[in-house]
Amino acid sequence: MKKGIANYNVGDGFDGFMMIKSASKGVASNGKPFLTLILKDASGEIESKLWEATSEDEAVFQAEELVKLSGEVTSFRGRPQLKIQSIRPVQATDGVAPEDFVEKAPIKKEALMERITEAVFEMKNPNIQRLVRYFVQKYQEALLTFPAATKNHHAYVSGLAHHIVSMLNLARELKELYPSLNKDLLYAGVILHDLGKLKELSGAAAPNYTMEGKLIGHIPMMVQEIGQAAEELKITGEEVTILQHLVLSHHGKSEWGSPKPPLVREAEVLHLIDMLDAKMNMLDRALGKVQPGEFTERLFSMEQRSFYKPLFEDK
Amino acid sequence: MKKGIANYNVGDGFDGFMMIKSASKGVASNGKPFLTLILKDASGEIESKLWEATSEDEAVFQAEELVKLSGEVTSFRGRPQLKIQSIRPVQATDGVAPEDFVEKAPIKKEALMERITEAVFEMKNPNIQRLVRYFVQKYQEALLTFPAATKNHHAYVSGLAHHIVSMLNLARELKELYPSLNKDLLYAGVILHDLGKLKELSGAAAPNYTMEGKLIGHIPMMVQEIGQAAEELKITGEEVTILQHLVLSHHGKSEWGSPKPPLVREAEVLHLIDMLDAKMNMLDRALGKVQPGEFTERLFSMEQRSFYKPLFEDK
Amino acid sequence: MKKGIANYNVGDGFDGFMMIKSASKGVASNGKPFLTLILKDASGEIESKLWEATSEDEAVFQAEELVKLSGEVTSFRGRPQLKIQSIRPVQATDGVAPEDFVEKAPIKKEALMERITEAVFEMKNPNIQRLVRYFVQKYQEALLTFPAATKNHHAYVSGLAHHIVSMLNLARELKELYPSLNKDLLYAGVILHDLGKLKELSGAAAPNYTMEGKLIGHIPMMVQEIGQAAEELKITGEEVTILQHLVLSHHGKSEWGSPKPPLVREAEVLHLIDMLDAKMNMLDRALGKVQPGEFTERLFSMEQRSFYKPLFEDK
Amino acid sequence: MKKGIANYNVGDGFDGFMMIKSASKGVASNGKPFLTLILKDASGEIESKLWEATSEDEAVFQAEELVKLSGEVTSFRGRPQLKIQSIRPVQATDGVAPEDFVEKAPIKKEALMERITEAVFEMKNPNIQRLVRYFVQKYQEALLTFPAATKNHHAYVSGLAHHIVSMLNLARELKELYPSLNKDLLYAGVILHDLGKLKELSGAAAPNYTMEGKLIGHIPMMVQEIGQAAEELKITGEEVTILQHLVLSHHGKSEWGSPKPPLVREAEVLHLIDMLDAKMNMLDRALGKVQPGEFTERLFSMEQRSFYKPLFEDK
Amino acid sequence: MKKGIANYNVGDGFDGFMMIKSASKGVASNGKPFLTLILKDASGEIESKLWEATSEDEAVFQAEELVKLSGEVTSFRGRPQLKIQSIRPVQATDGVAPEDFVEKAPIKKEALMERITEAVFEMKNPNIQRLVRYFVQKYQEALLTFPAATKNHHAYVSGLAHHIVSMLNLARELKELYPSLNKDLLYAGVILHDLGKLKELSGAAAPNYTMEGKLIGHIPMMVQEIGQAAEELKITGEEVTILQHLVLSHHGKSEWGSPKPPLVREAEVLHLIDMLDAKMNMLDRALGKVQPGEFTERLFSMEQRSFYKPLFEDK
Amino acid sequence: MKKGIANYNVGDGFDGFMMIKSASKGVASNGKPFLTLILKDASGEIESKLWEATSEDEAVFQAEELVKLSGEVTSFRGRPQLKIQSIRPVQATDGVAPEDFVEKAPIKKEALMERITEAVFEMKNPNIQRLVRYFVQKYQEALLTFPAATKNHHAYVSGLAHHIVSMLNLARELKELYPSLNKDLLYAGVILHDLGKLKELSGAAAPNYTMEGKLIGHIPMMVQEIGQAAEELKITGEEVTILQHLVLSHHGKSEWGSPKPPLVREAEVLHLIDMLDAKMNMLDRALGKVQPGEFTERLFSMEQRSFYKPLFEDK
């Protein structure tokens, strides 16, 4: 058995376990009901149809359930589909657990936490340090489990912390290369910039947008939280406004959701390294799926570009 | 003597009082120093040059000082300029006061306050009412004196309250015509939408943008204040988020500074009547300066359009 | 039986009458012919498939025919579809008539006509009044039955007159709030602005675009008609040009089909209240279909936004 | 003496006649009045200052007057300026006439008229032919003297007819190369497309935009005139609508003033050859002023481009 | 039997030969495999399904194979589809050859070559002539067989040469009408402008984009080739740079793939006649498929416009 | 005496040496000639007027000459201007040399060369290494002296090499953080990406755009050179195309001059670090001129933004 559904090709047989990500009922052209199942494991997902589904099937095969399947990978309208030969719910004796079917960051939570803590320790400006520590402590649990987005980049468990840590590493190197940068501001911006997502999204495992997330958005929500935290901690001074500005402007342009563009040097850098890390994450995932000499699928958040993997990459 | 500098034409003689709005020193092509004075009264402003200015002139003729001048209105590069024949500081016996030279809303502060108070009284949703009352009380003084903008529309003392009251009147009529509208929300949105300007601008008389105004902007600043007020008043419930959304979205588009477009019916209406009232204010001022059969000057915030005043308007 | 197909949910049984809006033949994957029927009543429409359709079926079940059906509402690719159990043409004894299945404005034609006539009576400028009266009389029948658009807003029988009357009411209130407005111009603009649609569209019931509508469009067509009417009525003077300008500019921008933007105060107001009334109409319809706490479907002509209906709306 | 002011360089002495295009009064930094004169001859124009102008000077040196000047071409802010040594009004004995100072098309009016008439004769479709002949006769005088624009291309006496004739020639060749084109339509579109300018502009010699020109524009004005002419001539049939469409769409895009884009083959061709002839006219004029190896000034209506004249052009 | 699949309507029976353009395997909703065949002849193409395809079918019915079919033209999702009754590979005795099923330019290769050669002969500038002759000789074979594009305009065998020859004819006439044009440059630009496509595309018959085509594009590839050819031929002088500029700028704008816009008169003309000829080719093809009084399908590369064929076209 | 003209304020006296960057003649409003001198030293530049200039002055005070001046810094139209009290050409005994007045990179040429050489040595792919070494050797002299641009970023002697070395350092750190990057490609892209500027610009000291630079641009020029170098070195293989692609796409978008966007991972990174380094260079220069609590001037190539220097930066 191959390792992970993402590595199966059309024509391959499949015999193993998967988690149902979503299940919805339809009616076939012959008038009989069927279920459309989106199945996933830690490597990716695949669509499947359960034809002539009984109402019992409907009751059993629901989202978040684990199943044992055998079947074959076929192609439907150019996309892979799993043709089911047999399917049953998992049993206690199968020895599989939900966490095996969820994608996670490649670095452990403890290591991510350690790097974030270290960055907070390095800060010299007491106002900045206290504000950042406040948020790291307040949201520690969610911060270490949420994804950075529902799709596109770092869209996996602990994705947000993984993104933060990558950006902290980038920030550390940039401080070496451009010594005029204020490291405290940059580290604080990196840690805080996306924390509003902890309220914009509904959870770590199967995140959706909350009502507040849709009507306000993570950027103004976080600007507000920084203001409230500063009041609670009785911190005054320009640091509060500047940190709010870093969060506010990190999307770079008003069309992209930042009502003010970066107007402080570290805000500009924060925007650039956020883009850089997100793009590296997307490219690594997309290029990992193709062979040298091939183009990737079109990447939605990179202007629909298809990237090429050079032949000499393999040497 | 004509009423107000805005009503003088090229060739007219001038003999009267004005306030210096700004004064800056230059050096003429003959090497001698001169002062560029921007002079204003309640009707408008005009540029003027004080040639061969002495250092004593420089000390005396400064911003916010009142002066007595005689001279003639000429034209320089197509714009009117006051050619000074004589100029002196005002004396106690001249009987003029600074407030005579500042443009004000055409409605008295007391009447504006009364209409706003009435609107708050009409609200039925207690959460919305308490939040709005909190802000009206907290900012009463500034709310009644600040302009709605530094230029363009309602750019005069009490301009913000004037703008609010016009919009409240529009909102009341729209509620009559479209009964499905939630009047509480609409009134609350009207009163709160621009209150962030009280912190974005430095004052009522000669407003500039504050540092916080430039880096954060009045919209996110007010969203944050609503959140903090709700916490202080221990108000929870969707009303808080919806009011924040109304403020957040009232510029209508991300390119215009609203990170979310209107996504609630009353938010859409708030955006439309804000535009409508601002445009009526700008058009009334611009058309008031031209005769039937003429075009206005180009209006910067109406896409540089020149409006025509029909000949039959006079009949 | 529920009131109107728009109020049925997936899983509901249906037993009642509908009008066929369109019928088209296809071939199923088993090689057998079927009919795709779009069925409608006054509340909305639903798609349906008549499998294994005979050539007799094809002859009987045609557009504009009334049918009696029983079946069940199912879901196909996320959209509701009516699964037919039985279908037959209506009989004389069924007691249903075509007009029962067509959506109409919520105000009667007579009341709409009365309000328009009243507005014409109020006009003081004789040139404007004569021109407007000419058009109201010339097009009275069509004016009272045409929709304002083929989809989006006021897309129902008498929709155009309904839209005009709502805008007249708005205009009346705006004249109260902004007395500098010229009411004659505003009323005339409201009544004339979309009359070109009477030639752009092919009819009131199932409107399509005419060749002339596609190649010239309702705006230039109406500008031309005003010119010809003025000539016929021997009206000269700026009023003709200004009325043409109001019609020409009412879409607000060249990208939206107005070769000149509004350059007269009342033209700007006409554009704004046209948008306002259209949007209120679309929002009322979309919000009427969802419960508090839900978002509407995406609204095509409101930049694909989904609007939220607050939970407290119900209180 | 060189031929035409456009051929003088900085440092050249000037001694000859010119027409005053415009004269405006200013006040110098020494407080003395001066006149800014724009002087022109058939080759181009130049700015000039008449320092310490008396009120008699002001009365004499007015727009459209002819003057005799001597002086030197200097440079002011990078643009040529004529430094006046002496200036006087022309006398009867000077033997110069206003028409010598106005730029004209390089082809005589009679020849232009002949080519237009010939094109009308070649038309086979009687409806199209009658409509076009109607306009050629109605506007013959203006058609042969107006410019095609106030600046940019063909901005000289008879410019419009010159533009039409060039386009007729282009159309004739295109018909040879692409026989599927309808020559009647193409010729008619060429002759009619810009006739609305005869009403949009105030005259042939020193054209300004009329009120109607500003509020309606030449395109909808001409669409209307075609409709009225067809009614007058009792012509019905698709030809009228198609000709209106050709005029309506000849700017190619709604952003450029055409509410409908070309939707008929000949409309597309009309748009393309209109652009082609206008651009050739602008390029010939601009390149005529520079030497091989040089770039032209920036051309406003060609997206601010500077064109290069290759060195080998001279060979 | 009708002439060419493009002339069949829904309901027509078909009995004849076609070439398989592409074949791909799918799985039907009943779980059985089928083949989707795109079939073509010289007039156009049609989709078809071969239900319950055996693995032998799969082996036999492959791209570029010729087949004999009988069936009926039906409609699927609004597009024609050929319902197969019988299908078999062609036999030697059928007397059909692959070249009968490929669309070709309406002018023979020899005639195209003759016109190109004639244009090269007419050139007077030896540098330009030598460079162009070099490319015509180097690429003669491909130049005479490649299409000008994979779809849209001149997308058939010898399409590129056909496009070049049409443009040469246009250029010759423009030189007559605008004598200031440099004919050598214009002819050279016409012949060279798209030669990079010979490397951007994989072949003449069923062209795809090469890796180099995707990463570099035909414009920079051809600029480079001109540079290398000049070096090889030891040609120096501005002609080389100007020819590179003509190729580089012929798409007209940076958004359309030209890093520099046209900055030489002939470059501007080259861009305009390239557009003109491409559009005439697309319009002739699209209008050829509809009757007078109808609109064409939407044309993708003409901004999705549908063109109208006037009723009087037929007279 | 202060260090460098950029550090003088209005009102300061000046007594020292400067280089004339440009000199142009004008005529004052009193009719007398004057010279406008742009004066520079290594810190920046200032405008100055030499009133009543003799023809001898004109002959002496020319671009690139060194002068000794005394005078005072004044303000003209809001920009500093040096009011000259005395001016003379430098003498041998003044002991100043042209190189003292030219801005240079903060790192010595030898150190820049060493870092570039080191990067070439680290490359493992022989094709990439040979191509890059070829260019470093061919252009060594110019590469070490040219600026990276004529204004905006790294616009000083050795600016290009400084920019390359900063980017190499960034690239080295990114390879550490994202090990999937191909370091050879990245280093090669960094070194080659702007080498076309050596031909696009006319020289290192006072660079202008060459004709070829204006008509072709540095990007296509360099793509061509890589192709020719590969041919000369007999290097074949995908490396050549990929390197051309890196250069071609490094501006990121077609609107910014790259006919293809980045389609290879290292091309995307190259684009991002090019922007990052350019922006850091511009920000450091602009922020260096203001005090904490102030905003910088508007930065043209950063979308006209003014950046804020926080008050706490000084601590």
Side-chain angles (χ1 to χ4, degrees), chain D residues 17-126:
Chain D
F17 301 93
M18 292 222 268
M19 177 187 271
I20 298 174
K21 188 186 173 190
S22 71
S24 56
K25 194 185 172 179
V27 178
S29 58
N30 62 2
K32 299 210 178 135
F34 66 91
L35 291 176
T36 298
L37 304 174
I38 309 295
L39 302 162
K40 63 181 279 189
D41 61 19
S43 74
E45 53 192 60
I46 192 167
E47 192 176 315
S48 181
K49 302 283 181 191
L50 184 59
W51 300 110
E52 312 205 352
T54 63
S55 49
E56 192 188 347
D57 288 342
E58 227 182 298
V60 169
F61 298 119
Q62 295 203 338
E64 313 222 348
E65 293 301 318
L66 300 184
V67 289
K68 170 96 173 48
L69 298 117
S70 68
E72 187 192 338
V73 177
T74 61
S75 172
F76 181 67
R77 296 182 188 278
R79 299 178 46 193
Q81 192 169 83
L82 182 60
K83 197 174 154 217
I84 298 175
Q85 278 142 11
S86 74
I87 180 169
R88 67 163 171 81
V90 298
Q91 303 159 350
T93 55
D94 286 331
V96 292
E99 55 266 36
D100 304 337
F101 298 87
V102 174
E103 195 186 2
K104 283 184 285 286
I107 303 182
K108 283 204 182 282
K109 288 202 292 189
E110 294 69 27
L112 295 168
M113 190 63 206
E114 195 174 347
R115 179 68 187 92
I116 293 172
T117 307
E118 179 191 38
V120 177
F121 265 106
E122 282 183 46
M123 294 176 182
K124 300 211 174 88
N125 180 309

Side-chain angles (χ1 to χ4, degrees), chain F residues 291-308:
Chain F
Q291 297 302 314
E294 292 179 0
F295 280 83
T296 66
E297 58 180 347
R298 295 193 171 278
L299 303 185
F300 176 77
S301 23
M302 293 185 79
E303 301 93 39
Q304 297 286 355
R305 283 179 272 162
S306 265
F307 279 74
Y308 182 69

